[in-house]
Amino acid sequence: MQVVSLKICPFVQRVIAQLAARDVEHEVTYIEGGERPGWFLDLSPHGQVPVLVTDDGVSLFESDAIVEWIDETQGPLRPGLSPEERAHERAWSYLATKNYLVQCSAQRSPTRATLTERSEKLERAFDTIEEKLGKGPFFGGGEVGLVDVAWLPLLHRSDIIERKTGHDFLGDRSKLSSWRERLMGTALVEASVAPDFEDVFSAFYLSEETFLGRGEDVASASSSSAPKTSRCG
């Protein structure tokens, strides 16, 4: 099967990580962000990535639909769950995917004030998952599941930002930070992105056009990420 991708699209990373977690053989074709070749538009009705072309030549689009197809045809990552437990995993996965573009927007913020404003929704999601996380090591216990893979793009990008700029989107959320560390230690990170992903990501999100890229007083901006007391898709 083949996945058509933009290198820094989080929705694409989620799909590829789902395949990698199951050791499903696949190829990845990358298109440029500003280009939509005719063959791609023939596969994607709305011109967005990811697109997955099955071994039978059927083109699937919309990341949620693709992930559900992978789960149904390649087997669940955590077999034996009840229908309620499977719905529970999907719901917590959706919380992650609803914040992919929120994080993308925050990372492109031109000023500290904009970064703070654009991070508010993401912080609420991080507060919510922090309260839900158990002893781990992963969301559902000892095995990587749908929820872990769904949150991987958010946590991977926050890890890059912290290493390169000192800004920590996770703040003082200790369980979330531990979860990120464990996921970063799996093979899924490298398997789900292009070899030059970090360079391409940094060129776009850490350019001179962004507050994080310029490195202006980033350490103080990180305090806004502390927990409160209480074109891809």
Side-chain angles (χ1 to χ4, degrees):
M1 64 185 68
Q2 180 186 31
V3 179
V4 183
S5 169
L6 292 171
K7 285 187 178 178
I8 58 175
C9 175
F11 297 94
V12 170
Q13 184 178 9
R14 178 195 180 199
V15 166
I16 298 176
Q18 289 286 350
L19 295 171
R22 296 169 171 82
D23 294 321
V24 176
E25 291 187 9
H26 62 279
E27 297 179 353
V28 182
T29 299
Y30 293 107
I31 61 175
E32 297 298 326
E35 298 180 2
R36 294 294 187 273
W39 63 264
F40 170 70
L41 295 176
D42 290 339
L43 300 176
S44 176
H46 52 21
Q48 294 181 331
V49 295
V51 170
L52 185 147
V53 182
T54 71
D55 291 335
D56 295 326
V58 178
S59 300
L60 306 177
F61 61 98
E62 291 291 347
S63 58
D64 286 335
I66 294 172
V67 168
E68 289 181 9
W69 177 85
I70 293 172
D71 207 43
E72 291 174 356
T73 61
Q74 308 300 321
L77 290 175
R78 299 179 62 222
L81 298 183
S82 68
E84 290 81 7
E85 290 169 329
R86 290 172 63 82
H88 183 260
E89 285 203 336
R90 288 195 297 271
W92 281 100
S93 297
Y94 295 156
L95 179 61
T97 60
K98 288 178 180 179
N99 281 278
Y100 285 176
L101 296 184
V102 176
Q103 186 186 48
C104 290
S105 177
Q107 291 166 165
R108 284 287 293 175
S109 298
T111 67
R112 179 171 61 181
T114 306
L115 175 62
T116 300
E117 178 182 356
R118 291 180 178 178
S119 297
E120 288 180 356
K121 182 179 177 182
L122 184 62
E123 288 181 17
R124 290 195 294 271
F126 284 163
D127 285 340
T128 301
I129 195 71
E130 170 77 7
E131 293 178 1
K132 179 62 179 178
L133 287 170
K135 296 181 179 180
F138 301 109
F139 181 85
E143 299 175 325
V144 169
L146 287 178
V147 182
D148 302 285
V149 177
W151 284 82
L152 176 66
L154 292 172
L155 299 176
H156 183 197
R157 285 154 176 74
S158 73
D159 178 70
I160 295 173
I161 294 292
E162 182 179 11
R163 285 190 285 105
K164 288 185 172 289
T165 73
H167 178 78
D168 186 7
F169 277 105
L170 305 192
D172 296 328
R173 301 173 181 90
S174 59
K175 290 190 290 185
L176 190 55
S177 296
S178 296
W179 189 30
R180 177 177 65 181
E181 183 178 356
R182 289 190 290 270
L183 283 173
M184 293 306 99
T186 69
L188 288 180
V189 175
E190 183 176 354
S192 61
V193 295
D196 60 346
F197 169 81
E198 194 162 317
D199 292 337
V200 177
F201 173 88
S202 298
F204 185 69
Y205 288 110
L206 300 180
S207 71
E208 285 296 312
E209 298 175 350
T210 69
F211 170 74
L212 292 172
R214 291 192 301 273
E216 299 174 354
D217 198 20
V218 167
S220 63
S222 294
S223 63
S224 68
S225 295
K228 300 176 177 58
T229 53
S230 59
R231 288 260 340 140
C232 54

